[in-house]
Amino acid sequence: MPVNPRPIRIAVQLQPQHATYEQIRESAAELEGLGVDILFNWDHFYPLNGDRDGLHFEAWTMLAALAEQTRRVELGTLVNCNSYRNANLQADMARTIDRISAHGTGQGRFIFGTGSGWFERDYDEYGYRFGTAGQRLDALAENLPVIADRWTKLNPPPTRKIPVLIGGAGEKKTLGIVAAHADIWHSYSDVSTLEHKLGVLAAHASVVGRNMAEIEISVGVLDSIADVSFADADRMRQLGASLFTIGLSGPNYDLSVVPDWLAWRDERNAA
């Protein structure tokens, strides 16, 4: 696969766990000031690590607040859980945040990051049916066209074609859904795994008649489940990756790693 001509972008996932909202708001402002391209959170109801009953906030309402607070960065969930909300409601919520984020420019900044869901405690505690992984993926595939259709019916409509990011790397179903519906594909992969998965994704894209160049490749580079060096990021770039996401958890968001990644971005984009 040739080098993707897209410029490198750096995202930060402010994981909404173990921190006060004030800490999250201040970190978001600082990250926008530093020059990150995208701010993500995640769509869970309880912490994923640390104190399982620690501080935690809901994703979508927080994104609406961050959309009003910020001026430049794009925003989204990494990722929304398709199971927790009706498909048409998801579309309406996305459109609304897109509109909120357009203040001052008229151009929305919302990214619709989504996935099939996996954290069973969320389902059990909030009364959702967990089912099987296959059932949840089938539901995601069924809902994405509904969401896209609802965007054409809303008044006012979204300010732009809202980018759809799909997270996950399952080869049989998930990557087929990515090929059919995603503008951005996100995974946590090392270099060899990414190379293999891109081959699988290309095969799915061929089946549905999709040009792989239409799909932006996103990888997690630094958090509790990823630790990617700059050398590895360069190799991922050669494979086609252009969006690199740092995951940060509360209570004290350590932003010190971000400037180095921004400098790497700027150096590579200037080359």
Side-chain angles (χ1 to χ4, degrees):
M1 184 176 179
V3 173
N4 194 319
R6 299 175 187 269
I8 292 172
R9 301 197 291 168
I10 299 296
V12 173
Q13 182 191 52
L14 283 175
Q15 300 164 2
Q17 61 176 7
H18 308 306
T20 65
Y21 176 66
E22 289 75 16
Q23 288 173 300
I24 295 169
R25 180 181 61 203
E26 291 167 7
S27 295
E30 186 172 350
L31 287 165
E32 182 172 46
L34 285 171
V36 302
D37 298 292
I38 304 171
L39 291 177
F40 289 120
N41 60 12
W42 66 30
D43 187 21
H44 295 288
F45 305 130
Y46 295 92
L48 297 188
N49 47 58
D51 179 1
R52 68 189 303 269
D53 294 314
L55 296 175
H56 201 279
F57 290 97
E58 194 277 326
W60 282 82
T61 46
M62 178 173 288
L63 284 174
L66 293 176
E68 184 64 41
Q69 169 191 336
T70 54
R71 294 292 183 271
R72 180 191 55 77
V73 292
E74 290 188 281
L75 304 144
T77 48
L78 191 65
V79 288
N80 167 67
C81 178
N82 176 69
S83 306
Y84 300 159
R85 304 162 192 89
N86 170 279
N88 287 285
L89 175 61
Q90 291 180 57
D92 203 342
M93 293 164 66
R95 178 283 310 258
T96 299
I97 297 178
D98 168 80
R99 283 278 169 174
I100 293 170
S101 69
H103 57 82
T105 66
Q107 178 70 45
R109 296 176 282 119
F110 182 74
I111 295 172
F112 183 64
T114 194
S116 61
W118 63 273
F119 190 43
E120 190 168 2
R121 185 187 181 192
D122 284 344
Y123 288 79
D124 293 344
E125 295 271 8
Y126 277 56
Y128 297 106
R129 179 177 176 270
F130 189 57
T132 66
Q135 289 169 334
R136 296 192 301 277
L137 283 164
D138 289 344
L140 176 63
E142 291 168 7
N143 281 355
L144 284 166
V146 175
I147 291 165
D149 181 63
R150 178 55 58 186
W151 282 335
T152 70
K153 299 174 179 177
L154 291 168
N155 184 18
T159 66
R160 64 173 181 169
K161 181 186 181 298
I162 296 176
V164 174
L165 178 155
I166 296 176
E171 297 183 9
K172 183 178 179 181
K173 286 191 173 184
T174 303
L175 292 181
I177 297 170
V178 170
H181 299 286
D183 300 295
I184 308 168
W185 169 54
H186 178 82
S187 72
Y188 294 94
S189 300
D190 58 27
V191 175
S192 62
T193 300
L194 180 64
E195 185 172 21
H196 169 72
K197 297 290 184 180
L198 285 170
V200 176
L201 179 58
H204 282 292
S206 178
V207 169
V208 299
R210 186 85 186 277
N211 183 348
M212 276 285 287
E214 298 175 1
I215 304 172
E216 184 172 13
I217 308 304
S218 168
V219 291
V221 295
L222 186 65
D223 65 10
S224 61
I225 56 175
D227 187 6
V228 174
S229 68
F230 290 118
D232 284 344
D234 282 332
R235 294 171 66 193
M236 290 176 173
R237 174 65 172 163
Q238 290 296 316
L239 292 172
S242 59
L243 177 54
F244 297 83
T245 299
I246 300 162
L248 300 178
S249 177
N252 298 307
Y253 296 103
D254 182 3
L255 310 189
S256 64
V257 298
V258 176
D260 286 343
W261 280 97
L262 295 177
W264 173 81
R265 174 199 67 186
D266 295 343
E267 180 181 330
R268 297 301 186 271
N269 284 342

